[in-house]
Amino acid sequence: MPSENLSGSLKTKKPRYQLTNLGKQMAKLPIDPKISRMLLAAQQHDCVAEMLIIASALSIQDPRERPLELREAAAKAHERFADKQSDFLAYVNIWDSFQRERDKGLTNKQLVQWCHQYFLSHLRIREWRELHKQLAEIAVEMGLVAKEHAFRQPENLSIFQQTEISSDLDLSAKLKQKQLDKKNHRAQVKAKKEANYEQIHRALLTGLVANVGMKSPEGHDYTGARGAHFHLFPTSALFKSKPKWVMAAELTETSKLYARDVAAIDPEWIEQEARHLVRYHYFEPHWERKRGEVVASERVTLYGLTVLPRRPIAYGKVAPMEARELFIRGALVAQDCDLQAAFFTHNKKLIKEIIDLENKSRKQDVLVDDEVLFDFYDRRLPENYMPSEKLSRQSQNHQPMKHVGRAFMPDKTAEQSGMNTRPTMPSEKSTKLSGSLQSVPSPVSNGGGLGWGQNSADKTNAVATENTTPTPTLPRQSGEGANRAPKKGSGSLKAKPLADLRTFEAWLKTSDPKSLFLSKEDLMQHAAAHITEEQFPKFWQNADGKFKLSYRFEPHHPLDGVTLTVPLTVLNRINPHELEWLVQGMLREKLALLIKALPKQIRRVCVPVPDFVTQFLLSEPDQSAPILPQLAHAIAKHAGDMRLLEQINLDEWAAFRLPEHCYFNLRVVDDGGQELASSRDLIQLQQQLGQAAAVTFRDNTQEFERDNISDWSIGTLPESIKFARGKQQLTGYLALQTQKDGTVSLRLFDMEQAAEQAHRKGIITLIQMQLKDHMKDLNKGIQGYTQAAMLLKHIAPDVLKDDLTAAICDRAFIGEDELPRNEKAFKEQIKRAKSRLPAVKEAVSRYLGEITAAYTELNAKLGKHPLTPLLRERLNVLLGAGFASRTPWAQWARLPVYLRAMSLRVDKYSANPARDMAREADIQELETMWAEKVAGLQRQNLAVSGSLKGFGWDLEELRVSLFAQELKTPKPVSVKRLQKEWKDFVK
């Protein structure tokens, strides 16, 4: 086994029990082997002077005295010499303090008094100094240190460099400056001592490595080597702080196992100073893309104590064959690397094309298994790569950095420094990939253990593994703890395992570039001729252009199925019904699943389902309309009984949730291609980003827009215009829009419906600007407004007034007329507005008076009547905030009638309450269905048709017919009539 680097390496074969060069040097020192080992290590760490002090102190009885009756006084006196991190440095501090007193020229009696003052034994100090002198002479003879450096000269705290003080300063400033100089001097002295802390304690560690310990996570004790548990002795300066890692000069068993003379250490020092004793365990080997190599986690232990729990290491130096397999599987088969080689780009593109075919067909039966790909590369790649001399010289200036000691320093430096670049055992054999925890010891020197006296039997026990299989390794050579590959001739090149990208790329330069190219025949299990572009197109197209489609087959993944990438500008313009039809290659499965979701008595009409789906698709359904109504009609037609439509509840059918891949996954992106949102619910995306989409749509259309329009100076407005936006040809809709500040602007809209609504309000505002005098008269007051405002207390007076004014202007200025889009039509509309305004104002005043009278009569009958909560709710619907603008002009005359019908219902209620409740239940059933339909359309951003709005007013007429028939209705209305009419809406 290799030995420590003091007198050169020993020969590989030596008789048992023969001293190594290191052991021979230790034998020359007449002290404990542990302490002699520290002194030899001190030469390497350049701290022999300090180590001579500590070594001689540890070889005698403690010079500090602790009389039982003066224990507290002694502890306080000893605080002068204590160091917060190390009890060993207390010896140095005592030595320095005593030496400074001697340098003052004190007599022997004065020195004895000084020792007595600080509870130190003068006799032991004299013994200490004599032993120190003897050790120093031996160290000088052995060449460990020069004579002038063997005796430590303590810093004199009384001598310091004083800054020049100006004579202009007063006495107080001069004194303050002098104190500051002293403080800085003490800090410099302290810093100098702390700078030597690591050197001193790393040297100490070489002899005390068996006495290290780590603090228990849940207690105050320490876990030491071989499972021992000990506590810090109460007199230690570290007793309160309890650092995580400590080493002790000795472990003493009294009431407990106590550690005396302890110091805080860094656990990394243990590996660096006792490499022959630590063991290395390897686990979780894996390919790591960021580092471009196969990496494992390494744990370092000392006598069962975990020194370093985990650190990454290049696994190729530990298990070359296993690392090579992981490299092939991770970097080449899984393509998880940034390799720029031609073969890799070609193979990656080819595999992606075949995976796309699988994603489209939703069957993983095209691409060959990973094992086939592994065998392809495994047959073509060598086990190791031997670099040529030329390549080696070229790469010397570009050596990659590896971990200090094992992974981050140049390979050559690691070997020369005696560090284990790959721990090995000669008896280990190659194994297959196991992924299990592996434990590999470092080579042990002939002076194993603490550096002396460990025989070969001990070494046999030191290499036992921890629940592992043997690890493949390279042959181990002699040398200062380094494992080297076999040399060829006089060169220093060694074979490198193919376990990282650098080595692989170097091998690639010397190999046949075409040997690693895959072909489709190598990768495909069958031809996949049914996966055509017609069935699975690359783009989805509508009036605004074509948009990219991407496919993925990975159930439960957010992107499973087909993903449609949509620019934000066209988000509001997508028809949700068109998205229901997916792509042809996936539509058949969706239709079959929809049919299976039907009740059994309806579903059996479609048997066999594949044939029915084929027949339905051959009928060329309208793919811009919803699927379900057309599919329901096809089922009824196939059954030969159209009455079957009444048994199909479209709302329940639509609520049935199919697998996620049966819906487009919509990915909304901005102009730069960055994803803004993703969802399978178009309506949700439109609600979330609809406003942003509208703003983005008109970002580049300032050429069409104008602000602060006060008259018609904008020429003729086309209903729609086409313009280019990037690669897309978009259609926009020009309209006037009233801004928040009351001005009118010309804007471009992405939706025709939004443009029409904005244009109507914009025209009304523009006419108001032209008819300023008429508006003044209108704003002065509407007859009956004051009384209405007093009764309708739930509406703020200003809100009610603005609402009535808006309703009058809408009816008088526009009414049922077509919206003007040129100057001539606008002027004609102004003329009609002037003539209609007085009549509309008078009509609204009359209706308002009738509403007020009917409301007063009804309000007087309410109170504690059983119908009060129900009728109050109806009043809030009919006469809530904004009712004037919300009520169609044709219904204004009927509002007083609805109120009088409520009054009559109150009068009739007591005669037959049960009949009243039964009729109300019939109305509530119809009204619930109507409200859900309207809410559904609004959630989908779809317009509510005029006929559907009219159905809501028919429900009000039904209340008149059922509860106040004497008031009559404009047309016949009944529950049965409305139920029949509703079925037409559902269809």
Side-chain angles (χ1 to χ4, degrees), residues 139-154:
V140 171
E141 290 178 4
M142 294 175 62
L144 299 181
V145 65
K147 185 174 182 180
E148 60 270 17
H149 297 141
F151 297 92
R152 173 181 167 88
Q153 296 299 322

Side-chain angles (χ1 to χ4, degrees), residues 941-957:
N941 294 333
L942 298 176
V944 179
S945 63
S947 57
L948 189 58
K949 291 180 180 178
F951 187 87
W953 291 106
D954 287 344
L955 291 174
E956 295 298 332
E957 297 296 343

Side-chain angles (χ1 to χ4, degrees), residues 499-610:
D500 61 86
L501 283 182
R502 294 183 299 276
T503 305
F504 178 74
E505 288 173 338
W507 169 82
L508 202 59
K509 294 176 182 178
T510 64
S511 64
D512 181 8
K514 296 182 179 180
S515 62
L516 298 180
F517 277 75
L518 286 162
S519 65
K520 280 195 173 182
E521 290 74 17
D522 295 326
L523 294 173
M524 295 182 67
Q525 299 185 47
H526 60 80
H530 64 287
I531 307 173
T532 64
E533 190 167 341
E534 181 181 1
Q535 292 289 314
F536 300 94
K538 295 182 179 179
F539 299 95
W540 183 82
Q541 194 162 2
N542 69 355
D544 289 317
K546 59 182 183 179
F547 310 103
K548 183 180 178 182
L549 294 175
S550 57
Y551 301 85
R552 183 169 188 153
F553 176 39
E554 190 174 348
H556 308 299
H557 190 278
L559 299 180
D560 183 41
V562 54
T563 297
L564 171 61
T565 301
V566 180
L568 179 63
T569 50
V570 301
L571 176 62
N572 292 332
R573 302 160 63 82
I574 295 178
N575 183 353
H577 302 317
E578 293 180 355
L579 297 182
E580 294 180 18
W581 297 86
L582 283 175
V583 295
Q584 290 189 34
M586 303 175 69
L587 181 58
R588 292 183 63 87
E589 181 187 0
K590 180 174 183 176
L591 292 173
L593 291 172
L594 285 172
I595 292 171
K596 291 179 181 179
L598 289 168
K600 186 176 181 180
Q601 65 273 17
I602 302 174
R603 186 172 67 238
R604 63 186 180 185
V605 174
C606 307
V607 176
V609 173

Side-chain angles (χ1 to χ4, degrees), residues 74-143:
K76 190 170 183 180
H78 292 161
E79 287 179 0
R80 169 188 176 92
F81 313 111
D83 186 279
K84 294 181 179 179
Q85 289 184 283
S86 172
D87 292 338
F88 297 98
L89 292 183
Y91 293 119
V92 178
N93 294 336
I94 294 172
W95 182 275
D96 289 347
S97 298
F98 186 82
Q99 185 65 33
R100 278 193 291 267
E101 296 301 320
R102 288 184 80 254
D103 292 344
K104 292 179 182 178
L106 298 182
T107 64
N108 188 61
K109 184 178 181 180
Q110 289 174 327
L111 288 175
V112 171
Q113 291 176 349
W114 180 86
C115 290
H116 183 71
Q117 178 184 354
Y118 292 104
F119 291 88
L120 299 174
S121 172
H122 184 263
L123 291 177
R124 293 176 196 164
I125 289 180
R126 187 168 62 184
E127 180 186 359
W128 181 10
R129 294 178 64 81
E130 290 176 355
L131 179 58
H132 174 272
K133 181 180 179 181
Q134 295 173 16
L135 289 178
E137 291 174 352
I138 296 174
V140 171
E141 290 178 4
M142 294 175 62

